[in-house]
Amino acid sequence: MARLSAPKRKEPGEYHHGDLRRALLEAALTMVVESGPESFSVREAARRVGVDHRAAYRHFADKATVLAELAQEGYERIARTWNTVLAELPEEQVHARLLALGRTYIEFAYREPGRYRVMTGPRLNEEGRFPALEVPIDVGMNLLRSELRAGMARGLLHEADVSECAITLWSAMHGLASSIVMRRIRVRKDQLATFAERTFGCTVRGLEK
């Protein structure tokens, strides 16, 4: 009979769950939801996952690196959602398409308030450490600009500076979303979509002829 070898002994701090990077991100997000981005630390994320902090630092250089990745994922999700909703609406329905962008942005913030707070807190790429974070943000802004240009070309929106109009729309979305996340505005989940379209629609109508 073949001799069975003893199971390999786990070293202290060895990670057993498979994807340590993802587990650390999820632990970080949980802490952000609980206490805000300021309370998060890589060491505490490692403790919650069950690894030595040195294992965590092999994946993330510091706290800012973790937060930047959480933010980047959020902006990527928004961009994907925007592409999906726009694909379902005729190009000539400029009003409906802009409302859909605002609604889905606000719904995202409602679903993921912790991640949204990271995304819209102090600028994580202030020193140029995380250029990849800017990519999905630029994608989102370019989608807004594209919709505005199309509406102006069809004569449905006032001729104006496209970039300034895009900033106006994004600011309106952000203001509503942040007020809801911070519970300055209280909205029931089943009323969120209607509320988002009605309130964001005030800004959209200001651009229409």
Side-chain angles (χ1 to χ4, degrees), residues 78-92:
I78 288 174
R80 286 196 299 270
T81 301
W82 278 4
N83 277 310
T84 299
V85 298
L86 290 177
E88 296 172 351
L89 292 168
E91 292 183 2
E92 63 272 15

Side-chain angles (χ1 to χ4, degrees), residues 29-127:
L29 189 55
T30 298
M31 283 186 282
V32 169
V33 171
E34 290 173 352
S35 308
E38 302 79 13
S39 68
F40 159 71
S41 72
V42 177
R43 184 180 289 268
E44 175 60 15
R47 188 194 69 77
R48 292 196 180 200
V49 170
V51 297
D52 187 278
H53 66 276
R54 290 170 294 185
Y57 282 115
R58 295 191 193 107
H59 293 274
F60 299 103
D62 52 23
K63 170 181 177 176
T65 309
V66 180
L67 296 177
E69 186 148 342
L70 289 174
Q72 182 179 335
E73 289 180 348
Y75 284 115
E76 288 170 347
R77 291 182 190 181
I78 288 174
R80 286 196 299 270
T81 301
W82 278 4
N83 277 310
T84 299
V85 298
L86 290 177
E88 296 172 351
L89 292 168
E91 292 183 2
E92 63 272 15
Q93 293 184 11
V94 175
H95 182 89
R97 289 166 71 90
L98 291 176
L99 286 185
L101 297 183
R103 185 193 72 246
T104 53
Y105 183 96
I106 293 165
E107 288 174 334
F108 171 85
Y110 188 92
R111 287 194 312 271
E112 298 202 43
R115 189 187 297 274
Y116 183 76
R117 289 174 68 184
V118 174
M119 294 164 59
T120 58
R123 188 174 181 224
L124 293 163
N125 195 40
E126 190 65 42
E127 299 176 357

Side-chain angles (χ1 to χ4, degrees), residues 142-204:
N142 286 335
L143 280 171
L144 276 176
R145 293 188 189 103
S146 178
E147 291 302 307
L148 288 164
R149 288 193 191 95
M152 291 176 192
R154 291 176 182 274
L156 300 174
L157 302 179
H158 287 289
E159 291 288 339
D161 184 282
V162 170
S163 291
E164 289 181 359
C165 290
I167 291 171
T168 298
L169 289 178
W170 197 301
S171 298
M173 287 185 272
H174 169 67
L176 285 166
S178 295
S179 295
I180 292 170
V181 167
M182 299 301 292
R183 301 182 70 79
R184 303 295 183 187
I185 299 174
R186 296 177 181 268
V187 186
R188 285 179 12 199
K189 184 177 181 180
D190 62 336
Q191 298 177 343
L192 181 64
T194 301
F195 175 83
E197 290 195 358
R198 189 170 64 248
T199 51
F200 183 65
C202 295
T203 304
V204 173

